[in-house]
Each structure stands twice: as structure tokens, then as C-alpha cells.
Amino acid sequence: MTKRAYNFNPGPAALPLEVLQQAQEQFVEYNGIGMSLMEISHRSKEYEAINAQTQELLLELLGLKSGYKVLFMGGGASTQFATIPLNFLKPGKVGSYIITGSFSEKAYEEGKVVGEAVIAASNKEGKWRSLPKAEDIQIDPNSAYVHMTTNNTIEGSQFSYIPETGDIPLIGDMTSGILSRPLDASKYAMIYAGAQKNLGPAGVTVAVIRDDLLAEEPKHLPVMLRYSTHAKNSSLYNTPPVHSIYMVNLMLNWVKNNGGVAEMEKRNVEKSKLVYDVIDASGGFYNGNIDPDSRSIMNITFRLPSEELEKKFVKESEQNNFVGLAGHRSVGGIRASAYNPVPYEACKALAEFMVDFQKRNG
Ligand SMILES: *Cc1c(COP(=O)(O)O)cnc(C)c1O
């Protein structure tokens, strides 16, 4: 094979080479059945096994023993912005949102489309540089739920604590941070993530929902929009994205076989530190977008002294085998997304490239 790119794409993003190779081996014929997995029924025993094992593995890696269901849904994390209020925001209640970046803002906007949504905390005025402190989060006691984004993909920040919401269900969009570090998942009533950042390819969104939130069937909603439909049918009410879920299965096994979530965190801290250290030692040539205590170990964001230099940085990085380093179009600058599958060597190469680039341009 040609040399693998240093893939820092923000999503869809890097997958481990081993996972790709495993999928390749099974692509044309799955487990000796004379067909590929994509050609068989989602109600076959082969797929049923994948469906069940993937759900179990995700719960296991999240450290959730019981009391939760894993759902596989379509529509990306963005559809969850709507299905959350549709399912849980009852008349007379409010949805509370902790706003720490553009994805949480979008979730809040969708909440307002469905019902009454309020802001429990926001750091927008501070240009997202730091996250709200626990004592700055004001939760309306009439909240149906509190929604937060644990890792802010575009801005490059991550929460270092879990907000205390008492009896009010806490919902976490973990699209870009799921399984990147251990956390007490039982503090959340619901966790969801589009797969294409840290869990596999695009096409499936996982939603992990506590049983009590699934007990009631929201009859006012079309069946496909009810979480209870997918929970009752083990995500087999209609045809799920079989191949994407199979890839998530391989990814979860990869995390497990590589030491689990604790080992992922160790690696992610080491990887991101390589880049943050260059930023901090650059005398201001590289300027981190986020205050050090709120920095993400997944998405590393920084600026250079001018947009011209940023363009040059991206262009030269591409000539040197790096991919995906341009910041999100809404913020500019540079963003290196180093999800679980991104190897240490890629981050080391990036750190070296940054030092060299500064020498030539600083
Ligand atoms: C990428 C992302 C989304 C949007 O995901 P889609 O699957 O494209 O809808 C939502 N939230 C966060 C935190 C993300 O990183």
C-alpha cells in the first residue's frame, strides 16, 4: 500500500489501519457465508449477533452495567438535536442548554423549534475560550433535561467535570469525545454520538438512553422519531445501516483490545501534549484558541500570526503528507483532530513540522 496519510480530518475521520484491513478481509464474503454482510437480511443471525455484540460492547466500554439501552439511529447527531426535545420536552417544561460552541448552539436552536429552550450557561461572549465553571451553570428547576456538549469539536475545548443536575436528566452530545477518556457515564441519562468521529464511519448515530426515559411511548410522534420504538425493537424496527454498525463493532473491539478507554486517554493525552507543547513553546507564533485548562485532547485548535501564514501552513502541510488541518470554515485557523485512531507518530510528525515551519517563517 502507499504510505498512509497523517490524517487529522475532523469527521469523517481516521480509522485504525487494522480495522480497515479486517473489514477488507470480510468485505466480499462475510464469515464464509457466500455473500457479503451488505447482501444479507438485517434479521439474519449473522447481523443479529453483530447488533447485540455492538450494543453490549459499547455499554461495557462506557462502564454501564445495566439500566440503559443502546440505539442505532440514522440522521447523524444533528437529528438528535431535534429528537431529544421531541421525545422529552413536555408542555410546561423547558429544555436547558449549556452552550459551549456551535454544535451546542445548534442543539439549543432545535430545542426552540420544538418547545421552550433556555440557556443554563454560555461562554459565547468569551469567544468559547474557556468553559463555564460548575457554579456558573444555572439550571431551571422546571427543566425536562439539561443538554451539554462534552467535547467541542470546532472550538477545541472539553469539559473536565460533569455538571451536577440532581434529578434532572443530563444529556451529553459526545460525538467527538466518546471513549476518548474514562468518565462516569451513569451521571448521564442519555449519551449520543454520530459515529464518524471516534466510533467508525458515517451513517449511524448511537444513542445510549436510561430505561426510565424510554418507559413512556410519546404517541404524539411518528413512530420512527420515538426512541421507544427503537428501544423496543433492539434497533431493528426498520433496516439499520448494517455496514456502518459492523464498522462500529470493529472499532469498539479495537478500543477494547488496545487497553480500553483508560489506555485511549493515556495515548490521547500524550498525543495532544506533543502539539500543545509546541504551541506553548512558540513564543506566541502559535496561539492556542482555548485556555489551557479547557483544552481538548481530541481537537487541537490554534492560530498563526496572519491568515496568510495559516494558508501557507495548510498548503505546506499537505505537501508533507498531512490531511485535514484547516480550521472549521466558521472559525478559520488550524485544527488538528487527533481522535482515538490517530497514531502517536502522526502527532509527532505534526509537532516536528510545526517547529520547522516556525523556524522558516517565525
Ligand atoms: C460533528 C458533530 C455533530 C454533527 O454530527 P452529524 O452526524 O454530522 O449530524 C454534532 N455534535 C458534535 C459535538 C459534533 O462534533
Side-chain angles (χ1 to χ4, degrees):
M1 191 177 24
T2 52
K3 191 172 169 209
R4 290 273 288 166
Y6 296 133
N7 185 351
F8 290 97
N9 274 328
L15 293 165
L17 180 58
E18 300 96 295
V19 164
L20 294 171
Q21 286 169 335
Q22 241 180 316
Q24 183 183 38
E25 269 170 35
Q26 303 269 336
F27 190 77
V28 175
E29 181 174 19
Y30 182 76
N31 270 2
I33 60 172
M35 293 167 284
S36 78
L37 190 63
M38 284 165 284
E39 299 172 284
I40 64 174
S41 169
H42 55 294
R43 305 196 188 279
S44 60
K45 67 174 191 318
E46 287 82 10
Y47 180 68
E48 292 252 8
I50 291 170
N51 188 34
Q53 200 207 29
T54 312
Q55 295 178 26
E56 278 162 28
L57 259 175
L58 183 58
L59 290 177
E60 182 189 326
L61 289 169
L62 285 170
L64 292 170
K65 288 194 178 64
S66 63
Y68 287 80
K69 295 252 168 357
V70 174
L71 316 185
F72 299 127
M73 302 181 69
S78 301
T79 300
Q80 299 297 314
F81 297 166
T83 45
I84 287 164
L86 283 169
N87 280 270
F88 304 135
L89 188 48
K90 304 214 169 83
K93 290 275 188 180
V94 302
S96 285
Y97 289 81
I98 301 171
I99 304 188
T100 51
S102 40
F103 282 120
S104 38
E105 215 169 22
K106 283 185 172 167
Y108 165 66
E109 292 300 329
E110 289 290 83
K112 283 199 292 185
V113 169
V114 173
E116 198 183 330
V118 298
I119 299 176
S122 169
N123 64 342
K124 190 172 188 179
E125 273 183 21
K127 298 226 161 79
W128 316 120
R129 281 200 71 88
S130 62
L131 293 176
K133 293 192 177 45
E135 59 268 27
D136 297 333
I137 299 175
Q138 306 235 316
I139 298 168
D140 187 323
N142 196 31
S143 299
Y145 57 82
V146 177
H147 180 282
M148 71 180 295
T149 313
T150 55
N151 181 81
N152 298 285
T153 326
I154 294 174
E155 295 73 18
S157 63
Q158 76 180 16
F159 272 91
S160 56
Y161 67 95
I162 301 175
E164 204 43 73
T165 60
D167 289 339
I168 300 170
L170 177 63
I171 298 179
D173 176 357
M174 299 196 186
T175 297
S176 52
I178 192 166
L179 306 185
S180 66
R181 51 184 170 141
L183 89 175
D184 183 357
S186 71
K187 296 259 186 205
Y188 289 87
M190 171 173 173
I191 288 167
Y192 68 98
Q196 70 276 13
K197 282 156 193 162
N198 226 358
L199 285 181
V204 63
T205 302
V206 300
V208 183
I209 307 180
R210 210 170 59 202
D211 289 341
D212 57 295
L213 270 74
L214 294 165
E216 227 178 291
E217 219 174 313
K219 291 239 166 67
H220 62 287
L221 291 181
V223 275
M224 275 299 287
L225 301 184
R226 301 177 195 167
Y227 291 125
S228 59
T229 302
H230 302 285
K232 269 192 295 191
N233 292 282
S234 239
S235 295
L236 285 166
Y237 176 78
N238 73 325
T239 320
V242 168
H243 185 72
S244 295
I245 294 164
Y246 164 68
M247 293 297 293
V248 170
N249 181 291
L250 296 185
M251 268 295 292
L252 295 175
N253 275 300
W254 180 86
V255 171
K256 188 176 171 178
N257 296 334
N258 278 271
V261 181
E263 175 65 19
M264 291 299 123
E265 179 182 46
K266 189 168 155 266
R267 293 183 190 180
N268 292 328
V269 167
E270 278 172 8
K271 279 153 52 184
S272 57
K273 187 172 185 298
L274 287 170
V275 182
Y276 284 128
D277 281 352
V278 173
I279 292 172
D280 292 339
S282 72
F285 181 77
Y286 297 114
N287 198 348
N289 293 5
I290 300 297
D291 291 346
D293 62 350
S294 301
R295 283 172 170 173
S296 166
I297 55 172
M298 296 273 91
N299 309 99
I300 304 160
T301 55
F302 57 93
R303 311 275 335 208
L304 274 72
S306 71
E307 282 185 31
E308 245 170 26
L309 273 176
E310 287 167 351
K311 280 206 189 90
K312 190 168 181 226
F313 181 95
V314 171
K315 188 157 171 247
E316 285 188 21
S317 75
E318 286 165 356
Q319 290 159 354
N320 285 278
N321 199 34
F322 296 94
V323 175
L325 288 171
H328 190 268
R329 59 191 182 280
S330 64
V331 293
I334 307 296
R335 170 176 55 172
S337 299
Y339 301 117
N340 284 346
V342 173
Y344 182 87
E345 293 67 44
C347 293
K348 187 151 178 285
L350 175 59
E352 285 165 5
F353 172 77
M354 288 169 69
V355 169
D356 183 58
F357 186 87
Q358 183 178 2
K359 264 191 208 133
R360 287 181 289 108
N361 297 279

